[in-house]
Amino acid sequence: MGTVASVHVDGAGTESTTAVLDDVERLFARMDAEYSRYRPDSPASQVADGRLALTRASSEHRDMYARAIAWRNATGGAFEPHRADRSVDLTGIVKAAAIEGAGALLRSAGHADWCVNVGGDVLVSGTVTGRDWNAGITDPDRAGEVLRVVRLAAPRRAVATSGTSERGEHVWRTDQDRVYRQVTVIADDVVTADVLSTAILAGGPATLRLAVEAWAVDVVTI
């Protein structure tokens, strides 16, 4: 996924926690091996360059593509799981799906208080030292400085940010007249937060209006 993943979990250091963190690490590694287009041997790269037909990819891979297409339809095309050359690129949803899967593993292992952070996209559960989790939104003009802090109180336990300050113009924009530089979405689940942050960055004010009318989210735009 080309980024850093971190997990903060209650009971750190216990045998059960070590086991579930190993499971989380294996999940991230498996999804990276399946979907990374930086890896020429991955099924994603093979689908993109025509060596593997999407219909012959794994059922998980096809389901991920179907999930991405559903989001494209729901956002009026602002979220797009294809590159400009029309090759399939699922990176816009895979990172959030990995975070979602990590959360499911932590819950199934009986952990109530945890935070999963992958490249600044965050999903939390429970509390930290008895208080709600907080997440800082980076100021795109001042590297390392926090623009504002948002509280991740139930039910909105996920936050994701899309922007241009670190990777430049990497999102295919459908609104070329007025563009956002950075979009943060706070939602009940991390896939919704991640997909909508990308969609609003791409689609501009029209997609922002759609998002806040159709989903239970809070949005911070720059």
Side-chain angles (χ1 to χ4, degrees), residues 4 39 84 93 128 145 165 172 177 180 214:
V4 176
R39 301 174 63 152
I93 194 170
V128 55
E145 293 193 19
S165 61
W172 185 261
D177 295 325
Y180 295 126

Side-chain angles (χ1 to χ4, degrees), residues 70-118:
W71 275 109
R72 182 184 69 178
N73 296 339
T75 60
F79 178 80
E80 177 56 72
H82 301 92
R83 293 188 180 183
D85 62 4
R86 304 311 301 164
S87 63
V88 177
D89 189 341
L90 300 177
T91 54
I93 194 170
V94 165
K95 181 172 67 172
I99 298 171
E100 180 183 66
L105 288 171
L106 290 163
R107 290 189 191 96
S108 67
H111 292 286
D113 303 315
W114 47 262
C115 171
V116 180
N117 181 340
V118 181

